[in-house]
mmCIF file of all heavy atoms in Angstrom:
data_model
loop_
_atom_site.group_PDB
_atom_site.id
_atom_site.type_symbol
_atom_site.label_atom_id
_atom_site.label_comp_id
_atom_site.label_asym_id
_atom_site.label_seq_id
_atom_site.Cartn_x
_atom_site.Cartn_y
_atom_site.Cartn_z
ATOM 1 N N CYS E 434 161.487 20.086 184.208
ATOM 2 C CA CYS E 434 160.639 19.331 185.103
ATOM 3 C C CYS E 434 161.230 19.087 186.470
ATOM 4 O O CYS E 434 160.597 19.156 187.576
ATOM 5 C CB CYS E 434 160.115 17.937 184.611
ATOM 6 S SG CYS E 434 158.959 18.085 183.291
ATOM 7 N N LYS E 435 162.512 18.831 186.481
ATOM 8 C CA LYS E 435 163.281 18.655 187.775
ATOM 9 C C LYS E 435 163.581 19.888 188.295
ATOM 10 O O LYS E 435 163.594 20.023 189.584
ATOM 11 C CB LYS E 435 164.651 17.962 187.421
ATOM 12 C CG LYS E 435 164.365 16.498 186.945
ATOM 13 C CD LYS E 435 165.751 15.756 186.570
ATOM 14 C CE LYS E 435 165.494 14.322 186.106
ATOM 15 N NZ LYS E 435 166.781 13.650 185.785
ATOM 16 N N ALA E 436 163.825 21.070 187.623
ATOM 17 C CA ALA E 436 164.017 22.324 188.235
ATOM 18 C C ALA E 436 162.835 22.987 188.837
ATOM 19 O O ALA E 436 162.902 23.782 189.787
ATOM 20 C CB ALA E 436 164.723 23.290 187.250
ATOM 21 N N LEU E 437 161.651 22.720 188.247
ATOM 22 C CA LEU E 437 160.417 23.262 188.738
ATOM 23 C C LEU E 437 159.404 22.190 188.990
ATOM 24 O O LEU E 437 158.252 22.121 188.296
ATOM 25 C CB LEU E 437 159.860 24.237 187.641
ATOM 26 C CG LEU E 437 160.806 25.425 187.177
ATOM 27 C CD1 LEU E 437 160.249 26.077 186.020
ATOM 28 C CD2 LEU E 437 161.058 26.358 188.307
ATOM 29 N N PRO E 438 159.672 21.370 189.958
ATOM 30 C CA PRO E 438 158.789 20.226 190.294
ATOM 31 C C PRO E 438 157.395 20.558 190.666
ATOM 32 O O PRO E 438 156.454 19.718 190.559
ATOM 33 C CB PRO E 438 159.607 19.507 191.301
ATOM 34 C CG PRO E 438 160.391 20.420 192.041
ATOM 35 C CD PRO E 438 160.803 21.485 190.979
ATOM 36 N N GLY E 439 157.254 21.779 191.124
ATOM 37 C CA GLY E 439 155.915 22.164 191.728
ATOM 38 C C GLY E 439 154.832 22.541 190.675
ATOM 39 O O GLY E 439 153.692 22.378 190.888
ATOM 40 N N ALA E 440 155.405 22.981 189.529
ATOM 41 C CA ALA E 440 154.475 23.474 188.490
ATOM 42 C C ALA E 440 154.633 22.948 187.006
ATOM 43 O O ALA E 440 153.690 22.629 186.342
ATOM 44 C CB ALA E 440 154.525 25.123 188.464
ATOM 45 N N PHE E 441 155.873 22.760 186.629
ATOM 46 C CA PHE E 441 156.105 22.481 185.265
ATOM 47 C C PHE E 441 155.713 21.043 184.800
ATOM 48 O O PHE E 441 155.090 21.036 183.714
ATOM 49 C CB PHE E 441 157.670 22.660 184.905
ATOM 50 C CG PHE E 441 157.910 22.973 183.546
ATOM 51 C CD1 PHE E 441 157.784 24.162 183.085
ATOM 52 C CD2 PHE E 441 158.379 21.973 182.659
ATOM 53 C CE1 PHE E 441 158.015 24.483 181.787
ATOM 54 C CE2 PHE E 441 158.520 22.172 181.366
ATOM 55 C CZ PHE E 441 158.399 23.474 180.925
ATOM 56 N N PRO E 442 155.833 20.055 185.622
ATOM 57 C CA PRO E 442 155.312 18.680 185.280
ATOM 58 C C PRO E 442 153.949 18.746 184.907
ATOM 59 O O PRO E 442 153.393 17.939 184.010
ATOM 60 C CB PRO E 442 155.754 17.858 186.371
ATOM 61 C CG PRO E 442 156.927 18.499 187.062
ATOM 62 C CD PRO E 442 156.645 20.015 186.927
ATOM 63 N N ALA E 443 153.034 19.458 185.778
ATOM 64 C CA ALA E 443 151.681 19.420 185.466
ATOM 65 C C ALA E 443 151.343 20.105 184.132
ATOM 66 O O ALA E 443 150.346 19.652 183.447
ATOM 67 C CB ALA E 443 150.924 20.240 186.642
ATOM 68 N N VAL E 444 152.054 21.145 183.697
ATOM 69 C CA VAL E 444 151.836 21.681 182.422
ATOM 70 C C VAL E 444 152.248 20.847 181.252
ATOM 71 O O VAL E 444 151.536 20.646 180.244
ATOM 72 C CB VAL E 444 152.685 23.018 182.331
ATOM 73 C CG1 VAL E 444 152.396 23.659 180.946
ATOM 74 C CG2 VAL E 444 152.309 24.012 183.401
ATOM 75 N N VAL E 445 153.301 20.135 181.446
ATOM 76 C CA VAL E 445 153.743 19.118 180.478
ATOM 77 C C VAL E 445 152.754 17.985 180.356
ATOM 78 O O VAL E 445 152.262 17.563 179.189
ATOM 79 C CB VAL E 445 155.092 18.493 180.764
ATOM 80 C CG1 VAL E 445 155.503 17.421 179.960
ATOM 81 C CG2 VAL E 445 156.213 19.675 180.840
#
Side-chain angles (χ1 to χ4, degrees):
C434 287
K435 293 178 179 178
L437 303 170
F441 206 80
V444 179
V445 175

